[in-house]
Amino acid sequence: MAPDNRVALCPGTFDPVTYGHLDVIARASAMYDKVIVAVVNLPWRKGGTVFSTEERIGFVRNATSDLPNIEVEPFRGLLVAFALERGAMAIVKGLRAISDFEYELEMNQLNRRQAPDVESVYLMASAKYSFLSSSGVKELATFGGDITDLVPHEVAGALQERLGR
Ligand code: PNS
């Protein structure tokens, strides 16, 4: 499908989705007519995920149900191939720190070599979420830290159930 400049992808593992991800998704949904949240579905992924693909998709769907132009879909394989398949012209990602920048610069070069017509767009993380990561939230949950203002209520409950000691 030819890339459509009204359609964007927001990719990620979302294990689990955080308010930082949701902030980027909501901002992207105000910029594009349609935003497809692309959830990695690789059961053999190194280290595995705490939540299954279906659970991760469910959390994102529930947390974005008030945004009419969001679709949530699993994907595996090359991100740019999925973007082309869905007709998305932009890949929208959040950037928090210099460390994100280095990683994203490399990904950007690789992705552009594969598909020069798919543009990547980076939104600076909102200040209150600039420290927030799924791995940090999982660590907090494992040791009984308070995660109620970092992830949706449903996700906090599921994390405490699965990881809490
Ligand atoms: O939430 P994450 O784990 O930081 O998301 C990383 C993601 C899914 C955006 C990245 O791993 C990715 O793009 N994976 C798809 C494979 C791919 O296309 N890689 C880039 C070229 S090697």
Side-chain angles (χ1 to χ4, degrees):
M1 204 187 286
D4 183 331
N5 62 7
R6 293 163 300 182
V7 181
L9 277 193
C10 278
T13 309
F14 303 107
D15 187 44
V17 70
T18 69
Y19 282 140
H21 296 129
L22 294 168
D23 181 59
V24 171
I25 292 168
R27 288 159 64 195
S29 95
M31 294 166 63
Y32 294 92
D33 286 356
K34 180 161 100 175
V35 172
I36 301 167
V37 180
V39 179
V40 171
N41 175 21
L42 288 178
W44 58 89
R45 197 183 157 94
K46 201 172 151 196
T49 52
V50 171
F51 296 105
S52 68
T53 306
E54 293 69 30
E55 288 172 317
R56 288 179 282 126
I57 287 175
F59 293 145
V60 179
R61 280 213 177 110
N62 292 342
T64 56
S65 57
D66 57 330
L67 298 171
N69 61 340
I70 303 275
E71 290 174 13
V72 189
E73 288 188 46
F75 86 101
R76 62 177 67 190
L78 280 185
L79 179 61
V80 288
F82 187 65
L84 290 170
E85 196 184 305
R86 288 290 181 276
M89 178 170 234
I91 293 170
V92 178
K93 296 175 131 188
L95 275 187
R96 291 162 303 185
I98 303 281
S99 49
D100 279 351
F101 179 84
E102 285 182 359
Y103 171 76
E104 293 299 344
L105 186 61
E106 186 184 331
M107 286 295 242
N108 185 286
Q109 305 296 336
L110 292 170
N111 286 338
R112 287 185 77 172
R113 274 188 78 235
Q114 301 290 319
D117 292 342
V118 178
E119 197 58 74
S120 294
V121 175
Y122 301 93
L123 300 184
M124 293 299 158
S126 298
K128 63 180 172 174
Y129 302 128
S130 61
F131 64 94
L132 182 51
S133 68
S134 296
S135 47
V137 169
K138 283 184 280 199
E139 189 154 341
L140 275 174
T142 302
F143 298 108
D146 182 9
I147 54 170
T148 49
D149 57 352
L150 305 179
V151 292
H153 183 70
E154 175 191 31
V155 175
L159 269 172
Q160 272 145 8
E161 201 172 289
R162 200 147 305 176
L163 296 178
R165 292 186 173 169

